[in-house]
Amino acid sequence: TFTAWCNSHLRKAGTQIENIEEDFRDGLKLMLLLEVISGERLAKPERGKMRVHKISNVNKALDFIASKGVKLVSIGAEEIVDGNVKMTLGMIWTIILRFAIQDISVEETSAKEGLLLWCQRKTAPYKNVNIQNFHISWKDGLGFCALIHRHRPELIDYGKLRKDDPLTNLNTAFDVAEKYLDIPKMLDAEDIVGTARPDEKAIMTYVSSFYHAFSGAQKAETAANRICKVLAVNQENEQLMEDYEKLASDLLEWIRRTIPWLENRAPENTMQAMQQKLEDFRDYRRLHKPPKVQEKCQLEINFNTLQTKLRLSNRPAFMPSEGKMVSDINNAWGGLEQAEKGYEEWLLNEIRRLERLDHLAEKFRQKASIHESWTDGKEAMLQQKDYETATLSEIKALLKKHEAFESDLAAHQDRVEQIAAIAQELNELDYYDSPSVNARCQKICDQWDNLGALTQKRREALERTEKLLETIDQLYLEYAKRAAPFNNWMEGAMEDLQDTFIVHTIEEIQGLTTAHEQFKATLPDADKERQAILGIHNEVTKIVQTYHVNMAGTNPYTTITPHEINGKWEHVRQLVPRRDQALMEEHARQQQNERLRKQFGAQANVIGPWIQTKMEEIGRISIEMHGTLEDQLNHLRQYEKSIVNYKPKIDQLEGDHQQIQEALIFDNKHTNYTMEHIRVGWEQLLTTIARTINEVENQILTRDAKGISQEQMNEFRASFNHFDRDHSGTLGPEEFKACLISLGYDIGNDAQGEAEFARIMSIVDPNRLGVVTFQAFIDFMSRETADTDTADQVMASFKILAGDKNYITVDELRRELPPDQAEYCIARMAPYNGRDAVPGALDYMSFSTALYGESDL
C-alpha cells in the first residue's frame, strides 16, 4: 500500500520505487517524494555514495518533516540508511498522515474523524453500506464502490452489486479507480477478504486518495451548502414579509370596517334598541378588540424581528406596501381609538336621555288623561241655556255653581301649564313621538282656551240675571267652596302619590322620602277639613228636611258629593302605604348601587396603581438588565406570566363594571379610575412587556449572528446605561459619542472626526430622529467586524457549481442543490445572454446580486 502510494506521487517526477526500505536508503528519492507532495524545494542533496552522504540526505528529509510540525519519535537517519523496515514504514506513515490526511477537516474534527465523517455522509444514501471504521466496514467492497458511484455514477452500475460477492466489488472499485481516477491499486482484494481485520493504516491511505481525487466535488458541495444557506434565508424572509403583509391587510380591513360603526351616533327611539347597542359595544370591547390588540402587538414584533434578520443577513430593510407601514397601522389604530372614544359615553347619555324621555312621556300621558277626564262634558255644560227657563232661585243657584266652576277652572290652570311645559321639554329632548304629543297638547290648550271663553260668556249671561236671584243657600255655597279645593287637593295628592320618580343616588331618594313624610304629617288636618265639609252637608240636609226646601237633596253649586269625597279620601289613604313601599324598594336599590360603586372603586383603586407600578417596573427592567440575555429573557417571560395571571382580576372588574352599567349608574365618587382607564392601561402593559421581550430576543439574534460574547454584550449594555442618564432607553448624539469613546472608538474633535461621527449617526439614526436606540447601538458595534455572506461570495459559490462557466444550467442546479432550493433558483434566474451562452443557460450573477438588492415586497 505504502509503495503504491509513494509511486502515485513519484510518477509525477518521472521515477518509481520497487522496495521502500532499499530505495529510500540513500535519501535521494525520499527528498524527491517530499518535494512532489509538498510543492516546496528541499536543501540540495549529497550525490556521494558514502554512508555519511546518505545520512545527510535522510536527515535533510527528516528535518523538513519536523519543520511541518510533525514529531518524529524514535526515527533516526541511521535506521533508514540501514534499511530498517519498521522504521522506514513508520516514517512513510508519518508522511502520509501529514501530507495526505492531516489537511482533511470536516466540521472542525480531527483528520481521522473528518475523513470518516466524509465517508459516512457520502455513502449514507446507499443500502448495505455502514461505514463505522477504517477496517471491517470496507471488507465487502461496497463502501469503495459507493464513493465512486456518488461522484462518478457513470463508472459503476451500483444496482448490480451484491453484498455477498466482496471480491467482485473490491476488484471493480480498485480497477475503476486506477483506470479512470488515476488512483493506483494499493491493496489486493484477496488480502482484504482473507483478513479478519484489514490494516487500518492501509485502508486510510487508500481512502484518502479517493478524498483527494474528489476534492473538486467537495468544493462544489461546499459551494452548494453556502448557496442553500443564502437561499434559505431569502425564502424565510420572503415568507415573513408575506405574513406581515397579510396580517397588516387583515388588521387594516378590520379597522376600516369597525370605525364607521363606532362613529355612527344615530340614536334609537327605544331603550331596548339602545341597550342592545350598549351590549354590542361591550362584546366589542370584551371579545372582538382584545385579539386585535394582540395582533397589532404581534405585527410590530414580527416587523422588528424581520428587520433584525434582514440586517443580520446583510439584506436591505423591508419596506411594506404603501399604507401598510407600522406607522400606518398605528395611525389607523389611533383613528379607531379616536372613533371609540366617547362612543360608550354617548350610548350611556342616550340611554339616560331615553329614560328621561320615557319618564316625561308617561308623566305627560298621566296628566293629560286626568285633565281630559276632568274637561269631559265641560263645554256642553257651559253651553247650556238652562238659566233661560229657570226660576229665580235656580238662577242664583246656577250663578253660584258657575262661581264654583270658575274656582275649579282656575285650580286646573297649573295642570295645563305643566302639560305644556312637559311637551316643550319632550320637544327639546327630541322625543321620537313628539308629533302625537304636540297634537294632544295643542288639543288640550285649544280646549282650555275654549273653556275660558265659554266660561266668560256664561258668567256674563248669569250676571245679567244676577239681580233676579234673591236667596242662595250659603251652606251649599260654603260646602261647594270648601269641597272644590279639598277635592282638588285630594286629586293632587293622588297624582303625587302615583307619580313615577327616577333617582340616581341615596341622597335623592332620601329627599323624596322626607317629602313623603312631610305629606303624611298633613293628613290629620286634612281629615279635619273633610269632616268639616261633611258636617256642612249634613247641616244642609237637616235644614232641607226641617224647612222642606225643594232641592231634592242635591247641591246646585257643585257636583262633588260626600260619597266622592269619602271615596277619594279612602283612595288617598290606600296610596300612602303603596308610596311607602315604592320608596323603600328604591332606597334598597340605591343602597345596592352604592355597594356596587364601592365594590368597583375598591378593586379599581388597587388595579389602577398596580398597572402603573408594573409599567414603571418594566421601564426599569428594560434599562437595568443583569445577567445573560437568556437570563433576562427568562426573567421577563416569568414577569410576563405573572402579569397574565393577573387577568382574572381585570375580568372580575369588567363583571362589576357591567353590573354598574346594567344598574344605570353613571358616576362613582369612590374612585377616579374608570373602566376605560383600566382597559387602556392593561392593554399598554401587555404590549410593553411583549415589546421588551422582543427587544431581548432581537439582541440574542444579533449576538448569536454577529458572534458577540456575553461579556461584550454586558459591556455594551453597561456603557449604554451609564450614558442614558434620563433612563429614556435612548442616547442623544453627544451621549452616543461619549459612549463610543468610552468603548475605545477613536473619534477626534477635528473636521475628520466630525465627518466620521456624522457617517456613524447616518447609520444608527437613518430617520434623523436625533436619538440612538440600544438595538441600533448593538447593530453598529457588531457590523464592523461581522462575517456575513455577500453577493460576491454567493457568486463565487455558483461559479464553482457551474464549473467556472459564466452561466449555469438547469441540470447543474438540480444535481447540486436540494429540490426545493433548486426550483427556487430556476424560477427566479434570468436567461444568460453572454456570447458564450448555450440553450437554457441561466444568469447566476444577476441572481446573486438581486439576493442582496431591493425586495420585491
Side-chain angles (χ1 to χ4, degrees):
T1 300
F2 288 177
T3 301
W5 183 85
C6 291
N7 283 333
S8 68
H9 294 284
L10 287 172
R11 185 168 61 245
K12 301 173 184 177
T15 186
Q16 295 279 281
I17 62 171
E18 295 181 2
N19 187 294
I20 283 180
E21 63 269 25
E22 291 298 329
D23 291 348
F24 283 156
R25 289 178 66 178
D26 62 2
L28 293 174
K29 289 188 177 181
L30 178 60
M31 294 178 69
L32 183 60
L33 174 65
L34 290 173
E35 288 183 345
V36 171
I37 62 177
S38 69
E40 301 180 24
R41 297 289 295 177
L42 273 67
K44 186 176 181 181
E46 300 288 344
R47 295 296 179 179
K49 300 292 185 177
M50 298 177 64
R51 177 179 172 84
V52 66
H53 296 143
K54 297 178 180 180
I55 292 175
S56 175
N57 289 337
V58 173
N59 274 326
K60 289 176 181 179
L62 295 179
D63 290 342
F64 179 78
I65 295 172
S67 71
K68 298 303 179 181
V70 179
K71 292 183 179 181
L72 297 170
V73 181
S74 302
I75 298 178
E78 292 79 3
E79 287 85 352
I80 304 300
V81 172
D82 292 339
N84 187 315
V85 176
K86 182 177 181 181
M87 290 297 179
T88 302
L89 292 178
M91 179 190 66
I92 296 302
W93 173 241
T94 300
I95 293 173
I96 293 172
L97 278 178
R98 171 59 183 84
F99 294 100
I101 298 177
Q102 183 173 320
D103 292 337
I104 298 173
S105 179
V106 179
E107 295 187 357
E108 300 181 0
T109 59
S110 68
K112 180 179 179 181
E113 292 172 340
L115 184 59
L116 184 63
L117 180 59
W118 178 79
C119 294
Q120 290 172 337
R121 287 185 176 175
K122 294 300 180 181
T123 60
Y126 295 87
K127 64 180 181 178
N128 297 326
V129 178
N130 183 18
I131 304 301
Q132 298 296 324
N133 49 54
F134 284 112
H135 37 82
I136 61 175
S137 293
W138 302 86
K139 285 190 66 174
D140 58 12
L142 291 178
F144 288 105
C145 291
L147 285 179
I148 296 173
H149 185 267
R150 178 64 184 271
H151 296 91
R152 297 287 300 276
E154 74 280 5
L155 298 180
I156 290 180
D157 188 353
Y158 189 86
K160 293 183 178 180
L161 300 179
R162 303 201 322 271
K163 187 174 180 64
D164 58 357
D165 189 5
L167 281 174
T168 299
N169 298 340
L170 288 167
N171 284 321
T172 298
F174 296 164
D175 292 342
V176 168
E178 186 171 38
K179 182 177 180 180
Y180 297 103
L181 304 178
D182 199 25
I183 299 175
K185 190 172 183 180
M186 299 184 184
L187 292 170
D188 291 326
E190 291 78 6
D191 292 340
I192 296 177
V193 174
T195 305
R197 178 186 169 104
D199 183 69
E200 186 175 53
K201 294 179 181 178
I203 296 294
M204 282 183 65
T205 301
Y206 211 166
V207 171
S208 70
S209 297
F210 281 84
Y211 175 87
H212 291 294
F214 297 131
S215 60
Q218 184 66 20
K219 291 180 181 178
E221 181 179 355
T222 301
N225 288 338
R226 177 182 289 275
I227 292 171
C228 288
K229 176 183 175 183
V230 172
L231 294 179
V233 170
N234 262 52
Q235 288 173 305
E236 180 184 2
N237 289 342
E238 287 180 8
Q239 185 60 50
L240 289 174
M241 294 175 193
E242 292 175 4
D243 293 344
Y244 174 90
E245 289 281 321
K246 184 178 186 309
L247 186 57
S249 298
D250 293 346
L251 186 57
L252 287 171
E253 176 61 18
W254 178 81
I255 293 173
R256 185 191 66 76
R257 293 197 314 269
T258 304
I259 286 179
W261 173 64
L262 292 172
E263 289 178 340
N264 181 13
R265 298 294 196 273
E268 300 291 344
N269 292 332
T270 65
M271 280 283 287
Q272 182 179 2
M274 288 305 297
Q275 288 282 8
Q276 184 58 49
K277 275 196 171 186
L278 180 60
E279 189 60 34
D280 292 343
F281 181 73
R282 288 176 183 150
D283 288 342
Y284 159 79
R285 289 308 305 265
R286 183 171 59 246
L287 302 176
H288 304 305
K289 185 183 178 185
K292 298 302 177 183
V293 173
Q294 295 299 318
E295 287 182 15
K296 176 177 174 292
C297 178
Q298 190 61 46
L299 191 73
E300 295 179 9
I301 289 173
N302 290 354
F303 182 84
N304 293 335
T305 300
L306 174 59
Q307 299 292 40
T308 298
K309 289 186 175 182
L310 289 172
R311 287 196 303 272
L312 297 181
S313 59
N314 203 26
R315 283 5 177 232
F318 169 49
M319 181 62 66
S321 300
E322 183 176 358
K324 295 179 184 177
M325 293 285 290
V326 172
S327 58
D328 296 324
I329 304 296
N330 288 333
N331 290 337
W333 190 265
L336 175 74
E337 293 189 328
Q338 185 64 33
E340 180 182 316
K341 184 178 181 182
Y343 185 70
E344 185 177 28
E345 181 180 354
W346 173 79
L347 286 174
L348 295 175
N349 286 337
E350 276 299 304
I351 290 174
R352 187 185 301 183
R353 184 180 71 85
L354 288 176
E355 182 187 37
R356 172 69 175 161
L357 284 173
D358 287 347
H359 171 70
L360 288 175
E362 180 59 29
K363 196 167 187 176
F364 173 84
R365 287 190 287 271
Q366 188 180 70
K367 288 183 177 293
S369 296
I370 293 173
H371 178 77
E372 288 165 346
S373 176
W374 178 82
T375 59
D376 185 39
K378 293 296 190 292
E379 289 174 301
M381 180 269 291
L382 290 172
Q383 290 173 332
Q384 288 179 351
K385 303 293 185 178
D386 53 343
Y387 54 84
E388 293 179 349
T389 58
T391 63
L392 185 60
S393 60
E394 289 173 341
I395 291 300
K396 289 191 177 290
L398 289 175
L399 184 58
K400 295 299 181 183
K401 182 179 180 181
H402 190 71
E403 289 176 356
F405 173 77
E406 286 180 324
S407 176
D408 199 11
L409 186 69
H412 279 79
Q413 176 70 32
D414 183 62
R415 180 176 288 113
V416 174
E417 291 175 355
Q418 289 178 7
I419 291 171
I422 292 173
Q424 179 63 27
E425 188 171 359
L426 286 171
N427 276 282
E428 292 173 354
L429 293 177
D430 196 21
Y431 182 50
Y432 77 96
D433 200 21
S434 290
S436 64
V437 170
N438 292 337
R440 190 172 184 182
C441 180
Q442 188 61 46
K443 183 178 180 182
I444 289 173
C445 291
D446 292 345
Q447 186 186 42
W448 183 256
D449 292 339
N450 191 37
L451 283 175
L454 291 175
T455 300
Q456 180 64 25
K457 183 178 180 180
R458 183 173 176 81
R459 181 171 183 81
E460 290 173 355
L462 290 173
E463 286 178 345
R464 283 195 298 269
T465 60
E466 185 178 5
K467 293 181 180 180
L468 300 175
L469 302 178
E470 294 181 346
T471 62
I472 190 161
D473 192 331
Q474 292 299 322
L475 290 175
Y476 268 122
L477 183 58
E478 184 179 358
Y479 174 91
K481 287 183 177 180
R482 294 180 70 172
F486 183 70
N487 180 68
N488 195 51
W489 175 85
M490 286 192 298
E491 288 182 348
M494 287 187 291
E495 184 178 339
D496 290 340
L497 289 171
Q498 295 178 91
D499 186 22
T500 58
F501 51 81
I502 177 172
V503 295
H504 297 96
T505 65
I506 289 180
E507 290 77 13
E508 291 177 0
I509 193 61
Q510 287 175 342
L512 290 178
T513 302
T514 300
H516 183 59
E517 292 300 323
Q518 291 173 350
F519 167 76
K520 289 196 293 184
T522 65
L523 291 178
D525 289 338
D527 191 36
K528 290 180 181 178
E529 177 66 10
R530 179 183 67 87
Q531 292 176 1
I533 292 171
L534 294 177
I536 294 172
H537 182 270
N538 291 336
E539 188 173 350
V540 169
T541 301
K542 183 178 179 182
I543 293 173
V544 169
Q545 292 175 352
T546 301
Y547 298 100
H548 306 287
V549 177
N550 187 21
M551 291 185 178
T554 60
N555 189 331
Y557 308 119
T558 182
T559 60
I560 302 172
T561 66
H563 179 74
E564 287 181 34
I565 291 175
N566 285 331
K568 290 181 178 180
W569 175 255
E570 186 59 31
H571 192 201
V572 169
R573 291 184 59 193
Q574 292 174 356
L575 289 175
V576 168
R578 295 180 191 173
R579 183 75 166 183
D580 287 334
Q581 181 64 29
L583 290 171
M584 286 175 61
E585 291 175 355
E586 182 60 25
H587 190 272
R589 189 175 76 88
Q590 289 302 325
Q591 284 182 321
Q592 171 65 7
N593 288 353
E594 186 67 8
R595 184 189 67 77
L596 291 176
R597 289 189 184 97
K598 290 180 179 180
Q599 180 175 313
F600 178 87
Q603 290 191 78
N605 290 336
V606 172
I607 293 174
W610 180 87
I611 291 176
Q612 182 62 33
T613 300
K614 293 301 177 184
M615 288 289 290
E616 294 171 356
E617 289 177 358
I618 293 173
R620 288 197 298 273
I621 290 173
S622 64
I623 294 175
E624 302 172 0
M625 292 186 173
H626 304 289
T628 66
L629 290 175
E630 283 75 13
D631 293 340
Q632 296 168 18
L633 186 60
N634 290 334
H635 176 61
L636 284 170
R637 284 175 173 162
Q638 289 296 321
Y639 200 82
E640 181 185 39
K641 184 177 181 182
S642 69
I643 289 175
V644 172
N645 289 339
Y646 200 78
K647 182 63 163 56
K649 296 185 181 294
I650 305 294
D651 295 338
Q652 181 181 351
L653 191 66
E654 283 282 9
D656 293 343
H657 177 63
Q658 181 168 345
Q659 291 184 43
I660 282 179
Q661 288 192 330
E662 289 172 351
L664 298 178
I665 299 173
F666 301 106
D667 52 23
N668 193 343
K669 64 183 179 181
H670 300 292
T671 181
N672 292 325
Y673 293 99
T674 66
M675 195 64 232
E676 181 64 21
H677 293 151
I678 300 298
R679 289 170 184 151
V680 172
W682 176 251
E683 291 170 0
Q684 290 177 344
L685 181 61
L686 292 178
T687 300
T688 300
I689 186 65
R691 285 174 177 165
T692 305
I693 288 174
N694 179 245
E695 179 184 345
V696 176
E697 290 173 338
N698 285 341
Q699 291 178 26
I700 291 175
L701 280 175
T702 302
R703 181 199 67 190
D704 294 343
K706 302 297 186 180
I708 302 175
S709 67
Q710 185 62 49
E711 291 73 17
Q712 286 177 308
M713 187 64 78
N714 290 341
E715 180 184 4
F716 293 158
R717 169 57 77 181
S719 298
F720 189 90
N721 287 347
H722 174 75
F723 291 98
D724 181 17
R725 294 184 174 88
D726 59 355
H727 304 296
S728 64
T730 59
L731 298 180
E734 292 305 317
E735 293 174 328
F736 176 56
K737 179 187 286 186
C739 184
L740 289 178
I741 293 173
S742 72
L743 291 170
Y745 211 95
D746 185 16
I747 301 177
N749 291 322
D750 53 8
Q752 183 177 354
E754 291 299 323
E756 172 63 10
F757 183 66
R759 181 190 71 82
I760 295 173
M761 283 300 295
S762 68
I763 295 173
V764 298
D765 183 22
N767 296 323
R768 299 182 180 180
L769 301 177
V771 293
V772 181
T773 65
F774 182 69
Q775 186 62 47
F777 171 67
I778 290 298
D779 287 344
F780 172 76
M781 293 305 294
S782 59
R783 78 171 59 188
E784 299 296 320
T785 57
D787 181 19
T788 57
D789 293 316
T790 65
D792 290 340
Q793 290 174 323
V794 175
M795 204 178 300
S797 298
F798 272 119
K799 193 174 184 67
I800 292 174
L801 299 187
D804 284 336
K805 299 191 301 293
N806 292 324
Y807 59 86
I808 194 167
T809 66
V810 171
D811 290 340
E812 288 170 337
L813 286 171
R814 286 175 174 159
R815 184 179 69 239
E816 300 294 345
L817 298 179
D820 62 329
Q821 295 189 333
E823 298 305 321
Y824 178 85
C825 293
I826 293 167
R828 287 165 172 76
M829 280 188 183
Y832 176 73
N833 297 319
R835 304 176 80 180
D836 55 340
V838 299
L842 298 176
D843 185 357
Y844 63 79
M845 295 184 183
S846 63
F847 175 75
S848 300
T849 302
L851 286 176
Y852 294 85
E854 291 297 329
S855 166
D856 291 338
L857 294 176

